[in-house]
Amino acid sequence: MSYTTQMDAARKGIVTPQMETVARKENIRIEDLMERMARGSVIIPANKNHKNLDAEAVGEGMRIKINVNLGISKDCCDVEPELEKVRAALDMKAEAIMDLSCYGKTQEFRQKLVEMSPAMIGTVPIYDAVGFYDKNLQDITVDEFFKVVERHVMDGVDFLTIHAGLNKHTAEKVKSAKRLTNIVSRGGSLLFTWMEINKAENPFYEHFDRLLDICEEYDVTLSLGDGCRPGCLYDATDASQVEELITLGELTKRAWERNVQVMIEGPGHMAMNEIPGNMMIEKRLCHNAPFYVLGPLVTDVAPGYDHITAAIGGAIAGASGADFLCYVTPAEHLRLPTLEDMKEGIVATRIAAHAADIAKGYPGAVEWDNNMARARAALDWDAQFALAMDPVKPVEYRKSSEPEHKDSCTMCGKMCAVRNMNRVLEGKDIQLDD
């Protein structure tokens, strides 16, 4: 029996190699995995042309995954530094990489990225369209937009961010909403501008079936973009954001009718107390499709530290139902991230995802922490380093300030609580004097 997409296979009861990989990784019965995929609450982004993909699942009951953004731009158009970031992101166990390239040798970079990456790959084709055609935005035709989409999927991209929900009706909400930051989504702002200048409907909304034709042919997952995501706390959960979300829910059903997998993108900037409610609204309006969030950043006043503000929001979002976290680096709002910025963003986001997995009771999540606790109780430094989410920094810290007594650290020395408790419970003497 043949199938077109992973969702189609699940609905027909066909077990794909990607499903087998995911079932093993997630330690889930393949029948349960397929049932969730058939409903659309779990996705396995897996373009037929991405030959070396090590499949991952996103959604209900799955471990929370993280995404890393990178790519070349007009100001930073050298391919090699971005490929170095790719290698580092893979070493640091990122499950997804989004290529946001918008200038220069974008196809060369994208093809190299797909070829070298077992992680799932995402792109935002409208970024590439502006640079590829080298013409004014308003002069790009509908056919030209779709030709770029086709080029990306042929190259093996597993998921596409398409801002199809920002239609004319939602655009009117944006104009009347009096937001402080208007539209901060790059893709959303480009489409809004194109629509306003050409007095036309969003081509990806108007010709959504054409988009589904492409996705179905290559088994590409649609990541329905949040063009109206809030760019500051003030704009969160306003009419524009919710109006677009309603439209995304409608488009999700249309995609599922064609067996096209879907995830929904979400905010953005948002106060902590609003995050759980937003997760609930998204899941309800979008029929429990997997939710992919940027942050949310829980304050607007920490430039240079937004990997922290995003990790706080990401942990809350994950614990409240988000399935996929997009990393944020310290360079957010300021510049293209360096390799070190990227590493900090990955670690912060992995912390948020793991903390949320623990809160949600993901099987085995807390055992990692329990193993670390055992290693700390035994003052087994090598075991602690091996268990560390990022083993490099703790090793460097330890070497930079070595204690007199190897079973302690330079913070406490002989007054180390763990060391002394171990000794007294073993019936040994404790000498605190030098």
Side-chain angles (χ1 to χ4, degrees):
M1 189 182 299
S2 63
Y3 62 91
T4 55
T5 68
Q6 295 291 322
M7 175 178 263
D8 184 39
R11 288 173 169 175
K12 290 177 176 177
I14 301 171
V15 178
T16 68
Q18 293 82 4
M19 293 177 195
E20 291 177 336
T21 297
V22 165
R24 172 178 50 79
K25 287 182 176 181
E26 301 279 352
N27 194 24
I28 184 176
R29 292 175 66 249
I30 204 154
E31 294 82 5
D32 294 336
L33 173 64
M34 294 172 72
E35 188 273 331
R36 295 173 196 180
M37 293 178 66
R39 286 191 284 109
S41 67
V42 170
I43 58 172
I44 302 179
N47 187 315
K48 294 173 182 176
N49 287 347
H50 191 174
K51 302 302 183 183
N52 65 333
L53 176 70
D54 187 7
E56 297 280 1
V58 177
E60 181 186 342
M62 304 294 109
R63 179 175 52 83
I64 295 173
K65 309 304 188 298
I66 75 163
N67 171 72
V68 171
N69 291 338
L70 41 77
I72 53 176
S73 65
K74 188 169 186 177
D75 291 319
C76 301
C77 58
D78 190 351
V79 168
E80 187 50 42
E82 294 306 295
L83 291 177
E84 183 181 1
K85 291 180 188 176
V86 172
R87 289 185 280 269
L90 294 174
D91 287 343
M92 296 180 74
K93 302 178 181 178
E95 290 90 3
I97 295 173
M98 283 202 76
D99 172 17
L100 305 187
S101 296
C102 58
Y103 180 82
K105 299 178 179 179
T106 56
Q107 186 169 31
E108 175 188 330
F109 177 72
R110 183 169 59 252
Q111 289 175 340
K112 286 183 177 179
L113 173 60
V114 172
E115 182 181 353
M116 68 190 290
S117 175
M120 52 186 163
I121 303 299
T123 60
V124 190
I126 192 170
Y127 295 177
D128 194 22
V130 175
F132 180 81
Y133 290 114
D134 193 24
K135 59 198 295 189
N136 290 330
L137 173 65
Q138 64 266 28
D139 296 329
I140 299 176
T141 67
V142 171
D143 283 343
E144 286 173 334
F145 279 131
F146 277 95
K147 284 178 181 177
V148 171
V149 172
E150 290 171 349
R151 185 178 298 107
H152 282 223
V153 300
M154 289 174 67
D155 286 340
V157 170
D158 302 295
F159 64 95
L160 299 171
T161 291
I162 304 289
H163 300 84
L166 182 56
N167 57 17
K168 277 186 173 182
H169 182 69
T170 306
E172 290 302 316
K173 291 283 186 183
V174 172
K175 288 188 283 187
S176 64
K178 306 302 180 184
R179 288 178 143 198
L180 291 183
T181 55
N182 297 311
I183 292 178
V184 299
S185 160
R186 195 189 335 175
S189 67
L190 291 171
L191 280 170
F192 182 90
T193 301
W194 187 91
M195 292 161 61
E196 285 291 298
I197 293 175
N198 290 300
K199 307 299 180 186
E201 182 57 277
N202 179 340
F204 297 114
Y205 176 79
E206 185 174 8
H207 304 283
F208 192 66
D209 285 330
R210 182 174 177 179
L211 184 62
L212 295 178
D213 288 341
I214 298 169
C215 292
E216 184 180 22
E217 180 179 357
Y218 291 89
D219 194 4
V220 172
T221 297
L222 269 181
S223 186
L224 291 175
D226 52 338
C228 295
R229 70 171 180 264
C232 64
L233 302 190
Y234 181 88
D235 294 342
T237 326
D238 69 351
S240 303
Q241 179 193 337
V242 176
E243 186 71 41
E244 183 182 33
L245 196 59
I246 292 170
T247 303
L248 296 183
E250 295 167 353
L251 295 177
T252 296
K253 283 190 170 182
R254 288 176 59 184
W256 286 346
E257 289 172 0
R258 297 283 302 277
N259 292 312
V260 173
Q261 300 183 107
V262 174
M263 60 181 163
I264 307 297
E265 297 187 11
H269 294 236
M270 185 168 289
M272 289 192 296
N273 59 302
E274 292 188 45
I275 295 172
N278 267 259
M279 301 305 106
M280 180 186 68
I281 291 170
E282 184 281 334
K283 290 287 185 175
R284 183 64 179 268
L285 293 180
C286 296
H287 322 295
N288 206 37
F291 199 21
Y292 172 28
V293 298
L294 178 73
L297 283 69
V298 296
T299 179
D300 300 327
V301 297
Y305 300 92
D306 277 329
H307 59 311
I308 298 174
T309 65
I312 294 169
I316 298 170
S320 304
D323 306 290
F324 194 19
L325 303 183
C326 185
Y327 92 148
V328 173
T329 77
E332 185 78 7
H333 304 110
L334 303 172
R335 69 173 188 205
L336 188 76
T338 64
L339 179 61
E340 289 306 311
D341 293 332
M342 185 197 75
K343 289 179 178 179
E344 288 194 48
I346 289 174
V347 173
T349 310
R350 286 193 65 203
I351 291 169
H354 180 59
D357 282 337
I358 293 170
K360 292 199 298 186
Y362 180 82
V366 77
E367 188 58 29
W368 183 7
D369 295 71
N370 292 342
N371 289 335
M372 178 64 85
R374 294 183 186 102
R376 283 181 173 151
L379 293 169
D380 185 341
W381 299 99
D382 289 338
Q384 291 179 56
F385 300 149
L387 287 163
M389 187 173 289
D390 170 27
V392 175
K393 183 174 280 191
V395 169
E396 290 176 348
Y397 274 35
R398 177 76 177 170
K399 287 182 177 179
S400 71
S401 183
E402 294 188 354
E404 177 184 358
H405 301 281
K406 297 301 182 182
D407 59 352
S408 64
C409 74
T410 53
M411 177 73 177
C412 299
K414 282 189 173 183
M415 295 181 67
C416 172
V418 176
R419 174 181 180 271
N420 290 336
M421 286 300 298
N422 287 346
R423 291 177 68 86
V424 74
L425 290 174
E426 292 169 3
K428 297 178 181 178
D429 291 335
I430 300 173
Q431 299 294 330
L432 298 182
D433 61 312
D434 295 327

